[in-house]
Amino acid sequence: MAIPGDRRPFPRRRMPLAARRCYRLAFATGLALALCYGLDLGVPFVAPLFAVLLAARPARPPAPAQALALLLLLALALGIGLLLGPLLQRAPLPALLLIALGVFFSNRLAMVAGREIPATLLTFGFTVIPAAEAASPALSAALVAAMVLGMAVAIGCLWLVYPLFPEDAEVPPVKPAAPAQQNWRSLRATLIVLPAFVFTLVNPASYLPFLVKSVLLGREAGDIQLRGASRELVGSTLLGGACAICVWWCLRLAVTLWFFSGWMLLLSLLLAAGAYRVFRNRLTPGFWINALVTALILLGAAVQDSAGGKDVYQAFAVRMALFLGVTVYALLAMSLLEWWRTGAGGGPRREWR
């Protein structure tokens, strides 16, 4: 109870940290989606995808110097892909070897604490851009411009949202795994991405969303343990597909950009609440973030299909089947590699370095 004559201000109650993280992720994603679709920036779903990857980390947004370095790194990584594209058409075997080494190096970089975002961008440069170059140089150039602009928009949206929902303090960096574990996880993630990359070369223009999903899936599979991996990978993919269907049906109420952004903001808020344990659950944060990423990719591709006059539901069914197929392949690859690593059931092998 207030004391008469006491003019001291009441202590300001702060929003819980988990709620702040949920709102930061949701508003950054929704704002990036609204800006990119409103301005018609090439491949619009790239910006909200980058916004999720940036805002999901419990950390401050990159400072201006760090943001500039990140954009330069992205441009450099995508430029490597532009150089690998012609080599892939003229000398496929050496190009595939270089791409495999590049993906392994990118995954190795991700095992070092705080390097997940640069490593993911580098993997995009070694896989997505060469695949697009194999289809059309114009497509690859447009994709490079869209990804650089999308990253700039994602960083700008995070700058706008972060002051409203800041962190309490800097989160200490995660202790990196042992070198042998880093090598093994990098190899596992590389062997998941490469078959998807080769499959994308059959029809790069149609299968690029599948390759983006495979890159992010390989990154996630490199970080999780085999036990519970089926629930983690398959379950999040199915949940992402179900969320994409629900948002697409909700858009029937009003096919406008504001409704699309609003529904995605609500979806992001709901899945972020699961990731940050706003409601009690036994699933990892990666499960919920992967579901949101899957929904963004599927909805972005569906919007492009609708604008191009394609059958949205048929294309969605094909993409969902491909997503589930690469997820099941990732589980089988992880199981076989772990079986081989333990000496085919005859005891653990010596770790390789």
Side-chain angles (χ1 to χ4, degrees), residues 160-341:
L160 291 174
V161 171
Y162 183 82
L164 302 175
F165 312 105
E167 288 286 315
D168 283 340
E170 286 294 332
V171 178
V174 180
K175 184 179 178 182
Q181 281 283 64
Q182 293 175 4
N183 289 332
W184 178 253
R185 292 179 181 178
S186 300
L187 176 64
R188 189 169 68 180
T190 303
L191 293 178
I192 290 172
V193 173
L194 282 182
F197 170 75
V198 174
F199 178 77
T200 304
L201 295 178
V202 175
N203 189 352
S206 299
Y207 294 158
L208 279 179
F210 165 73
L211 182 56
V212 173
K213 165 68 177 176
S214 302
V215 169
L216 298 174
L217 180 66
R219 176 75 69 248
E220 185 184 3
D223 295 334
I224 65 175
Q225 301 295 327
L226 184 59
R227 184 179 181 181
S230 58
R231 180 184 64 181
E232 189 82 10
L233 300 180
V234 178
S236 61
T237 302
L238 289 173
L239 178 60
C243 291
I245 293 174
C246 290
V247 172
W248 190 259
W249 283 349
C250 289
L251 282 175
R252 292 181 175 182
L253 298 175
V255 187
T256 65
L257 177 60
W258 297 112
F259 264 73
F260 188 24
S261 303
W263 287 120
M264 284 308 303
L265 189 149
L266 290 176
L267 176 63
S268 303
L269 190 60
L270 176 63
L271 295 179
Y276 296 119
R277 300 290 198 278
V278 174
F279 58 86
R280 188 174 301 176
N281 66 90
R282 298 181 180 180
L283 301 170
T284 65
F287 174 93
W288 302 99
I289 299 301
N290 184 46
L292 178 57
V293 166
T294 302
L296 279 171
I297 295 173
L298 289 171
L299 284 169
V303 170
Q304 290 181 317
D305 290 337
S306 178
K310 297 181 181 179
D311 188 342
V312 175
Y313 293 100
Q314 181 181 0
F316 175 85
V318 171
R319 289 193 185 95
M320 197 62 197
L322 290 174
F323 284 11
L324 290 174
V326 74
T327 304
V328 172
Y329 162 74
L331 291 171
L332 291 175
M334 290 171 64
S335 301
L336 289 174
L337 287 170
E338 289 297 330
W339 175 74
W340 176 81
R341 187 187 183 196

Side-chain angles (χ1 to χ4, degrees), residues 50 67-83 118 121-122 124-126 129 140-141 143-149 151-152:
F50 285 155
L68 180 60
L70 196 60
L71 290 174
L72 291 176
L73 174 64
L74 177 58
L76 178 62
L78 300 181
I80 293 174
L82 291 176
L83 295 176
L121 301 180
L122 197 57
F124 283 154
F126 276 106
I129 301 304
S140 61
L143 193 57
V144 168
M147 294 182 79
V148 174
L149 285 174
M151 177 58 76

Side-chain angles (χ1 to χ4, degrees), residues 128-142:
V128 176
I129 301 304
E133 181 77 14
S136 167
L139 175 62
S140 61

